[in-house]
Amino acid sequence: LFAEGRYDIAQTLYLVLKAENDADGDGYPDALEILAGTLPGDPHSKPQESVEELKRRLQALGGMDYFRPR
């Protein structure tokens, strides 16, 4: 995560999202909130789609590799 004297933000974000945490405790993992365009740190900002629908959408995009730095 620390390379050449600086943090690799893209890799750090990928690892955080891959951990499937729910920072705001609203029942939606942070990665799914980002996919849905809602705020992972705000419990009042929730996706309109169900967790299952968002998981299907993420899988169609390539799963967690969708967030992998390129």
Side-chain angles (χ1 to χ4, degrees):
L1 302 184
F2 189 77
E4 300 176 24
R6 59 192 169 116
Y7 286 100
D8 185 339
I9 299 299
Q11 182 66 19
T12 302
L13 177 60
Y14 170 69
L15 293 174
V16 168
L17 294 177
K18 191 174 176 181
E20 297 189 31
N21 292 323
D22 178 8
D24 57 14
D26 65 1
Y28 288 88
D30 298 341
L32 296 182
E33 287 215 50
I34 289 173
L35 181 66
T38 57
L39 302 172
D42 180 353
H44 302 291
S45 176
K46 296 181 187 179
Q48 296 294 314
E49 300 168 81
S50 70
V51 170
E52 293 75 24
E53 290 173 57
L54 288 168
K55 283 183 178 181
R56 281 192 292 274
R57 186 155 53 116
L58 182 58
Q59 286 307 312
L61 293 170
M64 288 306 294
D65 282 345
Y66 175 74
F67 295 108
R68 185 182 297 274
R70 313 247 188 268

